[in-house]
Amino acid sequence: MASTTSARPPGRPRAGVNDAVFAATLSTVQELGYARATVERIAAAAGVAKSTVYRRWPSKGALIVDCLLDAFGPAPLEGTGRAELLASTIRWIAAKIGEPGVGDAFAGVFSDAVSDPALREILSTRLQDPYRLALQDALGEPETRVLFLIDVVVGVLLHRMGMTGAPMADADVDALVEMVLAHFAGGTGRD
């Protein structure tokens, strides 16, 4: 008689847990705000035990960073020239920060990192560095210029979210693109 048991162990698949936790994280942050979106509340919204979350992420900050990485995905470094690549990258990050819960989560973890060196390290190495390296390669720019580009763009977008509670309007994103292009489009790298 053939066995009807599956080769997969019982329980929810790992990717399914991560997807559920990430979705619950963004919806909880959007609904309650970053500060009130505790790991306990996120776990409950995801339908998992708090210990399940803590086995994967040692802190709320680490969870938020991985959630943001999942929400952002790889940077779509598109365009036939330097100006197009910069413009599409700025519009991409503006759209991502404008997605429900993403800007709130990003601003909250960023704010927490100001006084938490361990979280700052996680933000820098896990979230910023992959995008910085991709931009350095695509633009042929040194680290300091790419870090300044990231500071200017992300800083402006998060400031707008913090001050208004809403993502930047398309016309303002267009103005931001024009301002950034004036400084970075010529660049020092290849075109």
Side-chain angles (χ1 to χ4, degrees):
M1 180 171 211
S3 172
T4 58
T5 61
S6 107
R8 188 179 68 75
R12 193 183 278 192
R14 282 184 184 264
V17 170
N18 287 2
D19 291 346
V21 171
F22 292 158
T25 298
L26 293 179
S27 65
T28 303
V29 167
Q30 182 182 15
E31 179 186 336
L32 302 175
Y34 179 84
R36 292 180 50 215
T38 63
V39 170
E40 186 172 289
R41 286 179 168 153
I42 291 167
V48 300
K50 184 169 65 168
S51 61
T52 299
V53 175
Y54 278 120
R55 270 195 302 276
R56 288 169 170 74
W57 300 280
S59 66
K60 175 180 166 181
L63 166 60
I64 296 290
V65 168
D66 280 358
C67 180
L68 291 171
L69 280 167
D70 181 71
F72 292 150
L77 300 173
E78 301 168 349
T80 57
R82 184 180 189 82
E84 277 185 38
L85 186 141
L86 284 164
S88 70
T89 300
I90 294 166
R91 287 187 175 93
W92 167 76
I93 192 64
K96 289 296 182 179
I97 287 175
E99 289 178 2
V102 173
D104 298 331
F106 198 171
V109 75
F110 182 82
S111 178
D112 279 358
V114 170
S115 59
D116 184 342
L119 181 54
R120 231 182 358 259
E121 180 69 16
I122 291 169
L123 262 176
S124 175
T125 59
R126 295 219 6 94
L127 186 63
Q128 180 175 265
D129 281 356
Y131 297 108
R132 176 188 54 82
L133 291 168
L135 282 167
Q136 276 180 245
D137 185 52
L139 296 171
E141 289 281 1
E143 179 178 358
T144 54
R145 275 188 50 95
V146 173
L147 285 172
F148 182 62
L149 170 68
I150 291 169
D151 288 346
V152 168
V153 173
V154 175
V156 167
L157 294 168
L158 289 180
H159 182 270
R160 177 62 61 92
M161 283 289 294
M163 297 307 292
T164 67
M168 189 173 278
D170 289 344
D172 291 339
V173 173
D174 291 342
L176 176 61
V177 166
E178 291 304 314
M179 289 183 343
V180 169
L181 289 180
H183 183 75
F184 286 97
T188 60
R190 60 187 178 272
D191 195 346

